[in-house]
mmCIF file of all heavy atoms in Angstrom:
data_model
loop_
_atom_site.group_PDB
_atom_site.id
_atom_site.type_symbol
_atom_site.label_atom_id
_atom_site.label_comp_id
_atom_site.label_asym_id
_atom_site.label_seq_id
_atom_site.Cartn_x
_atom_site.Cartn_y
_atom_site.Cartn_z
ATOM 1 N N GLU A 22 -5.717 10.700 16.448
ATOM 2 C CA GLU A 22 -5.430 11.511 15.262
ATOM 3 C C GLU A 22 -6.581 12.482 15.000
ATOM 4 O O GLU A 22 -6.360 13.646 14.659
ATOM 5 C CB GLU A 22 -5.177 10.633 14.044
ATOM 6 C CG GLU A 22 -4.758 11.433 12.826
ATOM 7 C CD GLU A 22 -4.274 10.595 11.669
ATOM 8 O OE1 GLU A 22 -4.478 9.362 11.678
ATOM 9 O OE2 GLU A 22 -3.687 11.171 10.738
ATOM 10 N N LYS A 23 -7.805 12.018 15.189
ATOM 11 C CA LYS A 23 -8.964 12.898 15.015
ATOM 12 C C LYS A 23 -8.915 14.051 16.006
ATOM 13 O O LYS A 23 -9.192 15.203 15.654
ATOM 14 C CB LYS A 23 -10.262 12.111 15.189
ATOM 15 C CG LYS A 23 -10.565 11.186 14.035
ATOM 16 C CD LYS A 23 -11.834 10.395 14.265
ATOM 17 C CE LYS A 23 -12.059 9.414 13.124
ATOM 18 N NZ LYS A 23 -13.238 8.573 13.363
ATOM 19 N N ARG A 24 -8.550 13.757 17.247
ATOM 20 C CA ARG A 24 -8.459 14.821 18.256
ATOM 21 C C ARG A 24 -7.357 15.815 17.908
ATOM 22 O O ARG A 24 -7.537 17.019 18.041
ATOM 23 C CB ARG A 24 -8.232 14.229 19.641
ATOM 24 C CG ARG A 24 -9.461 13.569 20.192
ATOM 25 C CD ARG A 24 -9.255 13.068 21.593
ATOM 26 N NE ARG A 24 -10.506 12.537 22.107
ATOM 27 C CZ ARG A 24 -10.683 12.170 23.354
ATOM 28 N NH1 ARG A 24 -9.715 12.278 24.232
ATOM 29 N NH2 ARG A 24 -11.843 11.690 23.751
ATOM 30 N N ALA A 25 -6.211 15.310 17.467
ATOM 31 C CA ALA A 25 -5.108 16.199 17.080
ATOM 32 C C ALA A 25 -5.527 17.073 15.904
ATOM 33 O O ALA A 25 -5.261 18.289 15.882
ATOM 34 C CB ALA A 25 -3.864 15.387 16.731
ATOM 35 N N ASN A 26 -6.191 16.486 14.927
ATOM 36 C CA ASN A 26 -6.654 17.253 13.758
ATOM 37 C C ASN A 26 -7.687 18.297 14.151
ATOM 38 O O ASN A 26 -7.720 19.385 13.582
ATOM 39 C CB ASN A 26 -7.201 16.318 12.678
ATOM 40 C CG ASN A 26 -6.108 15.543 11.976
ATOM 41 O OD1 ASN A 26 -4.933 15.925 12.002
ATOM 42 N ND2 ASN A 26 -6.467 14.437 11.378
ATOM 43 N N LYS A 27 -8.513 17.972 15.131
ATOM 44 C CA LYS A 27 -9.499 18.946 15.612
ATOM 45 C C LYS A 27 -8.792 20.146 16.239
ATOM 46 O O LYS A 27 -9.172 21.294 16.011
ATOM 47 C CB LYS A 27 -10.446 18.290 16.624
ATOM 48 C CG LYS A 27 -11.564 19.193 17.066
ATOM 49 C CD LYS A 27 -12.567 18.469 17.935
ATOM 50 C CE LYS A 27 -13.687 19.424 18.325
ATOM 51 N NZ LYS A 27 -14.687 18.779 19.163
ATOM 52 N N VAL A 28 -7.754 19.895 17.016
ATOM 53 C CA VAL A 28 -6.962 20.991 17.604
ATOM 54 C C VAL A 28 -6.337 21.817 16.490
ATOM 55 O O VAL A 28 -6.430 23.048 16.478
ATOM 56 C CB VAL A 28 -5.874 20.443 18.556
ATOM 57 C CG1 VAL A 28 -4.878 21.532 18.939
ATOM 58 C CG2 VAL A 28 -6.514 19.825 19.799
ATOM 59 N N LEU A 29 -5.698 21.150 15.526
ATOM 60 C CA LEU A 29 -5.006 21.851 14.436
ATOM 61 C C LEU A 29 -5.972 22.628 13.545
ATOM 62 O O LEU A 29 -5.563 23.609 12.904
ATOM 63 C CB LEU A 29 -4.198 20.856 13.605
ATOM 64 C CG LEU A 29 -2.982 20.256 14.315
ATOM 65 C CD1 LEU A 29 -2.397 19.113 13.498
ATOM 66 C CD2 LEU A 29 -1.928 21.311 14.614
ATOM 67 N N SER A 30 -7.230 22.233 13.510
ATOM 68 C CA SER A 30 -8.211 22.922 12.654
ATOM 69 C C SER A 30 -8.453 24.366 13.099
ATOM 70 O O SER A 30 -8.982 25.165 12.335
ATOM 71 C CB SER A 30 -9.541 22.150 12.623
ATOM 72 O OG SER A 30 -10.239 22.288 13.858
ATOM 73 N N HIS A 31 -8.024 24.712 14.300
ATOM 74 C CA HIS A 31 -8.176 26.080 14.804
ATOM 75 C C HIS A 31 -7.043 27.001 14.332
ATOM 76 O O HIS A 31 -7.038 28.190 14.653
ATOM 77 C CB HIS A 31 -8.202 26.079 16.335
ATOM 78 C CG HIS A 31 -9.408 25.401 16.901
ATOM 79 N ND1 HIS A 31 -10.609 26.047 17.093
ATOM 80 C CD2 HIS A 31 -9.605 24.115 17.288
ATOM 81 C CE1 HIS A 31 -11.484 25.200 17.596
ATOM 82 N NE2 HIS A 31 -10.900 24.017 17.721
ATOM 83 N N PHE A 32 -6.096 26.442 13.592
ATOM 84 C CA PHE A 32 -4.913 27.197 13.167
ATOM 85 C C PHE A 32 -4.717 27.020 11.665
ATOM 86 O O PHE A 32 -5.226 26.084 11.074
ATOM 87 C CB PHE A 32 -3.670 26.692 13.916
ATOM 88 C CG PHE A 32 -3.814 26.754 15.409
ATOM 89 C CD1 PHE A 32 -4.331 25.682 16.117
ATOM 90 C CD2 PHE A 32 -3.463 27.897 16.108
ATOM 91 C CE1 PHE A 32 -4.491 25.734 17.484
ATOM 92 C CE2 PHE A 32 -3.611 27.966 17.485
ATOM 93 C CZ PHE A 32 -4.124 26.878 18.176
ATOM 94 N N SER A 33 -3.944 27.902 11.071
ATOM 95 C CA SER A 33 -3.643 27.767 9.638
ATOM 96 C C SER A 33 -2.139 27.610 9.447
ATOM 97 O O SER A 33 -1.488 28.444 8.845
ATOM 98 C CB SER A 33 -4.181 28.974 8.862
ATOM 99 O OG SER A 33 -3.654 30.165 9.400
ATOM 100 N N PHE A 34 -1.608 26.520 9.990
ATOM 101 C CA PHE A 34 -0.190 26.223 9.838
ATOM 102 C C PHE A 34 0.054 25.694 8.427
ATOM 103 O O PHE A 34 -0.590 24.738 8.006
ATOM 104 C CB PHE A 34 0.271 25.183 10.866
ATOM 105 C CG PHE A 34 0.071 25.599 12.301
ATOM 106 C CD1 PHE A 34 -0.575 24.772 13.198
ATOM 107 C CD2 PHE A 34 0.560 26.819 12.762
ATOM 108 C CE1 PHE A 34 -0.744 25.136 14.524
ATOM 109 C CE2 PHE A 34 0.397 27.199 14.092
ATOM 110 C CZ PHE A 34 -0.259 26.354 14.966
ATOM 111 N N ILE A 40 4.063 25.004 13.564
ATOM 112 C CA ILE A 40 3.258 24.435 14.644
ATOM 113 C C ILE A 40 3.884 24.864 15.964
ATOM 114 O O ILE A 40 4.938 24.395 16.356
ATOM 115 C CB ILE A 40 3.164 22.901 14.538
ATOM 116 C CG1 ILE A 40 2.497 22.508 13.225
ATOM 117 C CG2 ILE A 40 2.398 22.327 15.738
ATOM 118 C CD1 ILE A 40 2.528 21.023 12.921
ATOM 119 N N ILE A 45 -0.758 26.991 20.722
ATOM 120 C CA ILE A 45 -1.864 26.057 20.888
ATOM 121 C C ILE A 45 -2.339 26.062 22.348
ATOM 122 O O ILE A 45 -3.538 26.119 22.623
ATOM 123 C CB ILE A 45 -1.461 24.637 20.430
ATOM 124 C CG1 ILE A 45 -1.260 24.625 18.896
ATOM 125 C CG2 ILE A 45 -2.491 23.606 20.861
ATOM 126 C CD1 ILE A 45 -0.625 23.361 18.361
ATOM 127 N N LYS A 48 -4.310 29.237 23.063
ATOM 128 C CA LYS A 48 -5.628 29.196 22.428
ATOM 129 C C LYS A 48 -6.626 28.373 23.252
ATOM 130 O O LYS A 48 -7.800 28.714 23.353
ATOM 131 C CB LYS A 48 -5.496 28.605 21.017
ATOM 132 C CG LYS A 48 -6.790 28.297 20.316
ATOM 133 C CD LYS A 48 -7.365 29.501 19.666
ATOM 134 C CE LYS A 48 -8.572 29.120 18.823
ATOM 135 N NZ LYS A 48 -9.304 30.268 18.397
ATOM 136 N N PHE A 49 -6.141 27.305 23.860
ATOM 137 C CA PHE A 49 -7.022 26.411 24.611
ATOM 138 C C PHE A 49 -7.023 26.702 26.115
ATOM 139 O O PHE A 49 -7.644 25.967 26.879
ATOM 140 C CB PHE A 49 -6.654 24.956 24.331
ATOM 141 C CG PHE A 49 -7.145 24.494 22.990
ATOM 142 C CD1 PHE A 49 -6.356 24.657 21.864
ATOM 143 C CD2 PHE A 49 -8.399 23.926 22.847
ATOM 144 C CE1 PHE A 49 -6.811 24.250 20.616
ATOM 145 C CE2 PHE A 49 -8.862 23.524 21.617
ATOM 146 C CZ PHE A 49 -8.070 23.691 20.492
ATOM 147 N N TYR A 112 -5.931 18.396 27.307
ATOM 148 C CA TYR A 112 -7.009 18.393 26.321
ATOM 149 C C TYR A 112 -7.898 17.149 26.456
ATOM 150 O O TYR A 112 -9.112 17.235 26.319
ATOM 151 C CB TYR A 112 -6.411 18.456 24.910
ATOM 152 C CG TYR A 112 -7.445 18.558 23.816
ATOM 153 C CD1 TYR A 112 -7.985 19.790 23.459
ATOM 154 C CD2 TYR A 112 -7.890 17.424 23.139
ATOM 155 C CE1 TYR A 112 -8.947 19.890 22.464
ATOM 156 C CE2 TYR A 112 -8.849 17.513 22.136
ATOM 157 C CZ TYR A 112 -9.373 18.749 21.801
ATOM 158 O OH TYR A 112 -10.326 18.841 20.810
ATOM 159 N N MET A 136 -1.354 11.130 20.640
ATOM 160 C CA MET A 136 -1.985 12.360 20.153
ATOM 161 C C MET A 136 -0.938 13.421 19.837
ATOM 162 O O MET A 136 -1.048 14.132 18.834
ATOM 163 C CB MET A 136 -2.986 12.883 21.185
ATOM 164 C CG MET A 136 -3.733 14.120 20.706
ATOM 165 S SD MET A 136 -4.954 14.655 21.926
ATOM 166 C CE MET A 136 -5.348 16.276 21.252
ATOM 167 N N TYR A 139 0.608 12.900 16.428
ATOM 168 C CA TYR A 139 -0.276 13.391 15.358
ATOM 169 C C TYR A 139 -0.316 14.917 15.331
ATOM 170 O O TYR A 139 -0.446 15.522 14.273
ATOM 171 C CB TYR A 139 -1.692 12.848 15.537
ATOM 172 C CG TYR A 139 -1.821 11.353 15.336
ATOM 173 C CD1 TYR A 139 -2.376 10.546 16.323
ATOM 174 C CD2 TYR A 139 -1.408 10.747 14.157
ATOM 175 C CE1 TYR A 139 -2.519 9.181 16.141
ATOM 176 C CE2 TYR A 139 -1.540 9.382 13.965
ATOM 177 C CZ TYR A 139 -2.095 8.603 14.960
ATOM 178 O OH TYR A 139 -2.223 7.256 14.767
ATOM 179 N N LEU A 140 -0.194 15.524 16.497
ATOM 180 C CA LEU A 140 -0.249 16.983 16.598
ATOM 181 C C LEU A 140 1.003 17.630 16.006
ATOM 182 O O LEU A 140 0.913 18.593 15.249
ATOM 183 C CB LEU A 140 -0.401 17.376 18.074
ATOM 184 C CG LEU A 140 -0.702 18.823 18.405
ATOM 185 C CD1 LEU A 140 -2.060 19.235 17.865
ATOM 186 C CD2 LEU A 140 -0.677 19.006 19.927
ATOM 187 N N PRO A 143 1.585 16.133 11.570
ATOM 188 C CA PRO A 143 0.333 15.818 10.882
ATOM 189 C C PRO A 143 0.572 15.104 9.547
ATOM 190 O O PRO A 143 1.581 15.329 8.877
ATOM 191 C CB PRO A 143 -0.303 17.188 10.632
ATOM 192 C CG PRO A 143 0.423 18.143 11.497
ATOM 193 C CD PRO A 143 1.781 17.572 11.744
ATOM 194 N N ARG A 145 -0.670 15.479 6.653
ATOM 195 C CA ARG A 145 -0.530 16.299 5.437
ATOM 196 C C ARG A 145 0.912 16.758 5.227
ATOM 197 O O ARG A 145 1.330 16.955 4.095
ATOM 198 C CB ARG A 145 -1.473 17.486 5.484
ATOM 199 C CG ARG A 145 -1.133 18.486 6.556
ATOM 200 C CD ARG A 145 -2.060 19.669 6.503
ATOM 201 N NE ARG A 145 -1.501 20.697 7.342
ATOM 202 C CZ ARG A 145 -2.204 21.536 8.040
ATOM 203 N NH1 ARG A 145 -3.507 21.503 7.989
ATOM 204 N NH2 ARG A 145 -1.623 22.437 8.774
#
Side-chain angles (χ1 to χ4, degrees):
E22 185 170 13
K23 287 178 184 176
R24 287 184 176 188
N26 288 340
K27 185 173 181 180
V28 168
L29 291 170
S30 73
H31 294 274
F32 304 90
S33 56
F34 301 129
I40 299 172
I45 292 170
K48 171 83 173 169
F49 284 89
Y112 184 84
M136 183 177 168
Y139 293 125
L140 190 64
R145 67 177 192 214

